[in-house]
Amino acid sequence: MDIEFNKREDQNRLKLSEINRLLSEIKKGGGEKRLQKLHEEGKMTARERIEYLLDKGSNSIEIGAFAGFEMYEEHGGCPSGGVVIVMGYISGEQCIIVANDASVKAGAWFPITGKKNLRAQEIAMENRIPIIYLVDSAGVYLPMQDEIFPDKENFGRIFRNNAKMSSMGIVQISAVMGSCVAGGAYLPIMSDEAMIVDKTGSIFLAGSYLVKAAIGETIDNETLGGATTHCSISGVTDYKAKDDKDALNRIKNIMKSIGHNEKAGFNRIESTPPKENIDNIFGIMPISRSEQYDTYEIIKCLVDNSDYEEYKPDYGKSIICATARIDGWSVGIVANQRKMIKSGKGEMQFGGVIYSDSADKATRFIANCNQRKIPLVFLQDVTGFMVGSKSEHGGIIKDGAKMVNAVSNSIVPKFTIITGNSYGAGNYAMCGKSYDPRLIVAWPWAELAVMGGTQAAKVLAQIQESTLKKQGKEISEEERNEILNTISKKYQKQIEATYSAARLWTDAIINPTDTRKWISMGIEAANHNPITEKFNLGVIQV
């Protein structure tokens, strides 16, 4: 390996190390003291509950660990959105687990909490896999109720989804392991099976203090909505558990008994590791997002046996399209080539830019994968579509629209890995969050924005300077630089991988060496849901 490789490897591993450091802090939830208090109350923490449920030694992936990162700081913060969500295996069955973290504001729901819960339900619905709710929440965080309560994608959508999943035959199991109040009280009864932990679990539309204020009745919370009440009198819950482990053991037993539905039938053979060392990714990826590299080298680090079959290799070279296998699964890869290349017409093309011929090729390849029932993997490192008179006259908008159309109407499951840049309309064409990837993750150095930080900062600075001039204010060179630096600093923060993950624009920031696991588990989940639609591009300008 050359010295540049070693430099890149060192810098990129430092970025991963920083992500892991932040993640370690996030996993402490509301802090060590609050976690200890849960233990004193006889409870396990949210993460301990999930760890106990999951099959030992099995793979798992955490969705939205960075949700809420550096948000709501005026309210004391909301680590991981106050809820832990994991895809894993219980008694051999792949499922989604949603566990309220009572160490964070007693498990109260912030706006990002609702968004994250809906994302978990979306994954369960798209893939038709069971979903387990470990309930321990004080309900809506009242100081922000206007942002969590009334809108379509707010708190109430959770219960709408409960009903929809029930009609779809998706298994839902609830364990009430702490508070379950107000609107949240509908969750257990809308699940297939519900249990409650004695003395620590409680369910009611209104707690004892509110009951006293509303109707004058004096009653304690245990009598009002404890385990004995709901298992013996109201019938809201099906089982009474003596403690957390007892409830979790019952969930394990239920999962042992569920039947299997028809599979989608995605092709899989025995898995083979890549010939190329996957750790080489750290040395291949450049330090600066504007530098070039050869995407073929990345693909070789990710696919089985480092072997792939390329589609139209001599045409539309700024996008690589190839079929390969990842952990045995047959996949179609659509990847931005980040190396400056010469087109079939002999013209030089910039790496990471989508040209007309590339968009045309990708459209055809996506259609072929849909025809052959092959899941799609997008390796996204894109700065956008090519601009300028030559591209406009050549119909770049039309060809780009065809690619967006193909991505939008694709019926096979899609998975997006943001390996570097994710800018502008390139984000859309390469299956950004708006285009329903089953999972979308970013590598630690990824950047997601309308345009790159340097260009955007210059544009915004020019606009601000122009506004000041219209007001009759002259700007010195020092003031101009100060404006540019201020805007650059703010914009650069907004394009970082942590900023995107905090808002759930991505599902996770992952170690590149875990990419194969995420794709494999994603396809396995998708394989639970047979494809019933037909691929149709609809009306497009040819």
Side-chain angles (χ1 to χ4, degrees):
M1 300 297 178
D2 60 29
I3 192 161
E4 284 304 314
F5 182 97
N6 293 335
K7 285 181 181 178
R8 292 192 294 265
E9 183 177 37
D10 289 345
Q11 286 297 314
N12 288 328
R13 286 194 180 279
L14 280 173
K15 289 179 181 177
L16 175 62
S17 178
E18 175 61 12
I19 292 298
N20 288 337
R21 184 190 68 78
L22 293 173
L23 195 54
S24 295
E25 289 300 311
I26 287 168
K27 287 184 176 181
K28 294 177 182 177
E32 297 288 355
K33 289 184 179 179
R34 187 69 189 104
L35 294 173
Q36 182 58 37
K37 187 177 179 181
L38 292 178
H39 287 156
E40 291 169 0
E41 293 171 357
K43 294 181 178 182
M44 301 166 75
T45 69
R47 293 184 181 278
E48 287 170 346
R49 289 165 176 169
I50 291 175
E51 184 180 2
Y52 186 84
L53 264 185
L54 292 173
D55 296 344
K56 302 303 179 191
S58 63
N59 280 334
S60 64
I61 53 179
E62 183 172 351
I63 309 294
F66 273 89
F69 177 70
E70 294 185 338
M71 297 170 65
Y72 315 119
E73 292 184 344
E74 67 277 22
H75 296 277
C78 187
S80 220
V83 61
V84 184
I85 295 172
V86 170
M87 179 190 287
Y89 303 86
I90 302 175
S91 302
E93 298 293 335
Q94 193 175 21
C95 60
I96 289 284
I97 306 170
V98 180
N100 297 117
D101 186 352
S103 75
V104 180
K105 292 285 193 297
W109 287 54
F110 283 68
I112 198 67
T113 316
K115 187 175 183 180
K116 187 171 174 180
N117 274 265
L118 290 172
R119 177 62 178 141
Q121 290 185 320
E122 180 182 43
I123 292 171
M125 293 168 80
E126 285 180 330
N127 299 296
R128 289 182 179 264
I129 58 174
I131 184 166
I132 317 298
Y133 307 101
L134 306 181
V135 185
D136 193 348
S137 172
V140 166
Y141 182 62
L142 288 178
M144 302 189 75
Q145 64 86 26
D146 60 323
E147 296 181 46
I148 182 62
F149 168 66
D151 209 350
K152 181 179 178 181
E153 300 296 332
N154 283 174
F155 188 76
R157 188 80 170 180
I158 304 290
F159 314 120
R160 175 265 188 193
N161 287 349
N162 288 144
K164 286 289 186 181
M165 282 191 279
S166 183
S167 70
M168 294 166 68
I170 297 171
V171 173
Q172 299 178 82
I173 304 169
S174 289
V176 179
M177 312 180 84
S179 296
C180 183
V181 301
Y186 290 107
L187 182 67
I189 202 62
M190 297 190 77
S191 299
D192 302 329
E193 297 192 60
M195 60 208 70
I196 184 170
V197 178
D198 194 22
K199 300 298 185 289
T200 57
S202 58
I203 309 171
F204 33 66
L205 293 179
S208 57
Y209 292 122
L210 185 54
V211 168
K212 177 69 173 178
I215 63 173
E217 181 183 1
T218 301
I219 190 170
D220 64 89
N221 281 338
E222 183 64 25
T223 306
L224 180 66
T228 300
T229 295
H230 286 307
C231 288
S232 302
I233 301 173
S234 73
V236 167
T237 49
D238 304 311
Y239 311 104
K240 179 165 67 172
K242 62 181 182 181
D243 55 24
D244 280 8
K245 286 188 177 180
D246 188 30
L248 298 172
N249 285 335
R250 188 173 292 276
I251 292 173
K252 291 182 181 183
N253 289 334
I254 293 171
M255 292 298 289
K256 287 178 184 177
S257 67
I258 65 175
H260 294 149
N261 295 322
E262 182 185 349
K263 302 292 186 185
F266 301 123
N267 187 284
R268 191 183 197 185
I269 61 174
E270 187 176 349
S271 176
T272 306
K275 284 183 180 177
E276 297 294 327
N277 187 345
I278 196 167
D279 285 318
N280 286 349
I281 288 171
F282 292 99
I284 295 168
M285 294 298 296
I287 297 169
S288 168
R289 294 277 54 80
S290 61
E291 292 179 37
Q292 297 180 28
Y293 64 93
D294 191 346
T295 303
Y296 287 104
E297 295 181 19
I298 296 295
I299 293 172
K300 289 176 184 177
C301 291
L302 294 175
V303 302
D304 289 14
N305 207 36
S306 299
D307 189 26
Y308 56 88
E309 185 174 348
E310 190 170 1
Y311 174 76
K312 289 183 177 288
D314 299 320
Y315 177 71
K317 294 182 181 181
S318 74
I319 287 184
I320 300 167
C321 297
T323 51
R325 290 190 182 272
I326 293 179
D327 197 26
W329 293 104
S330 174
V331 297
I333 295 172
V334 181
N336 302 110
Q337 172 59 295
R338 280 308 312 267
K339 186 178 179 181
M340 183 83 81
I341 45 96
K342 186 180 289 186
S343 73
K345 297 178 181 179
E347 301 164 339
M348 295 306 296
Q349 295 184 342
F350 296 100
V353 178
I354 302 175
Y355 292 79
S356 283
D357 54 356
S358 302
D360 175 62
K361 178 174 78 171
T363 300
R364 297 190 198 186
F365 180 72
I366 291 167
N368 285 349
C369 287
N370 276 272
Q371 181 79 0
R372 295 161 60 186
K373 204 157 74 170
I374 300 174
L376 287 161
V377 174
F378 292 83
L379 300 180
Q380 192 183 110
D381 191 348
V382 59
T383 54
F385 285 89
M386 191 58 191
V387 297
S389 60
K390 189 172 183 179
S391 292
E392 298 293 359
H393 296 169
I396 185 67
I397 295 175
K398 177 183 66 178
D399 291 319
K402 285 193 289 187
M403 184 177 174
V404 170
N405 196 312
V407 173
S408 302
N409 286 298
S410 181
I411 58 173
V412 295
K414 299 165 292 197
F415 302 89
T416 301
I417 317 297
I418 304 176
T419 62
N421 300 321
S422 180
Y423 296 157
N427 168 277
Y428 304 155
M430 292 296 293
C431 198
K433 185 66 179 289
S434 300
Y435 292 81
D436 298 324
R438 296 294 177 95
L439 295 170
I440 177 170
V441 297
W443 288 354
W445 44 79
E447 294 182 356
L448 197 157
V450 169
M451 65 176 73
T454 302
Q455 304 94 309
K458 287 180 179 178
V459 171
L460 291 169
Q462 287 169 4
I463 292 171
Q464 188 169 333
E465 184 180 342
S466 176
T467 301
L468 291 170
K469 283 183 177 180
K470 287 179 181 178
Q471 296 171 356
K473 299 176 182 177
E474 288 299 321
I475 306 297
S476 67
E477 189 62 31
E478 184 179 345
E479 289 171 325
R480 184 178 291 109
N481 289 333
E482 186 178 344
I483 290 170
L484 181 60
N485 290 336
T486 301
I487 292 173
S488 294
K489 187 176 180 181
K490 180 181 178 181
Y491 196 90
Q492 192 60 43
K493 186 69 178 175
Q494 292 177 352
I495 68 177
E496 290 177 357
T498 51
Y499 192 91
S500 301
R503 289 150 182 81
L504 292 175
W505 300 344
T506 58
D507 291 317
I509 304 170
I510 68 168
N511 184 333
T513 61
D514 287 334
T515 303
R516 283 169 54 85
K517 178 176 74 170
W518 274 79
I519 294 170
S520 179
M521 286 188 68
I523 297 175
E524 183 183 353
N527 201 38
H528 288 81
N529 189 6
I531 296 174
T532 57
E533 303 173 83
K534 289 191 179 297
F535 178 67
N536 188 339
L537 280 178
V539 177
I540 56 174
Q541 297 290 331
V542 295

